[in-house]
Amino acid sequence: MDNREVIGSWLSGPRAAAEKMGADFGYRGERLGLPKDGPGSIASVGRRVAALFIDWVLSVLIAYGLIAHRDLHQANNWALVVFAVVSVISLGLVGSTPGKMIMRLRVVQVDGGRLTPVGAALRTLLLVLVVPAVVFDRDSRGLHDRAVKAVQVRI
């Protein structure tokens, strides 16, 4: 075996190496019975990060204008609380945060049902802890989604 092949498989990761050996992982969401593309398919990581960024900016603006009395340092401290409250309420009621609505995303149960208010609260708690959100499976579902049996899909 050529050394370049070994280094190439190491750099591209275990999935690429397994696919090169003939393993077929399918597309993201296939194991969950979701379509490959279009509405109902798993949301891309880029869209989800953009939605999170939009939600964070809105939270900082709300904290800055309503809670921190135009003190940026205090606004940053309160932003996480505002983010959590907005997430729990909006996910529990409509299944999308404002950022997710703008990015055309929705959080649903794996079976297609709505996320319960308790599920939205648990998911948000795990999301603000950060670590469960950055550990994800091959369907791009973070541990915070897996804990409540949810998935983020495109609308």
Side-chain angles (χ1 to χ4, degrees), residues 54-101:
I54 292 168
D55 288 335
W56 185 256
V57 169
L58 289 173
S59 298
V60 170
L61 289 174
I62 290 169
Y64 180 78
L66 298 178
I67 300 171
H69 306 294
R70 299 193 182 351
D71 179 8
L72 188 58
H73 181 68
Q74 280 193 4
N76 286 328
N77 292 337
W78 281 101
L80 188 62
V81 174
V82 172
F83 175 83
V85 169
V86 168
S87 292
V88 169
I89 291 171
S90 60
L91 286 176
L93 292 177
V94 295
S96 290
T97 63
K100 288 184 189 344
M101 286 181 203

Side-chain angles (χ1 to χ4, degrees), residues 88 116-129 144 147-148:
V88 169
T116 65
V118 173
L122 178 60
R123 182 185 183 279
T124 300
L125 174 67
L126 293 172
L127 179 63
V128 298
L129 292 176
H144 65 299
V148 295

Side-chain angles (χ1 to χ4, degrees), residues 94-117:
V94 295
S96 290
T97 63
K100 288 184 189 344
M101 286 181 203
I102 291 170
M103 296 306 297
R104 309 275 303 145
L105 303 176
R106 185 169 191 175
V107 178
V108 295
Q109 295 283 345
V110 173
D111 62 9
R114 272 182 57 184
L115 192 62
T116 65

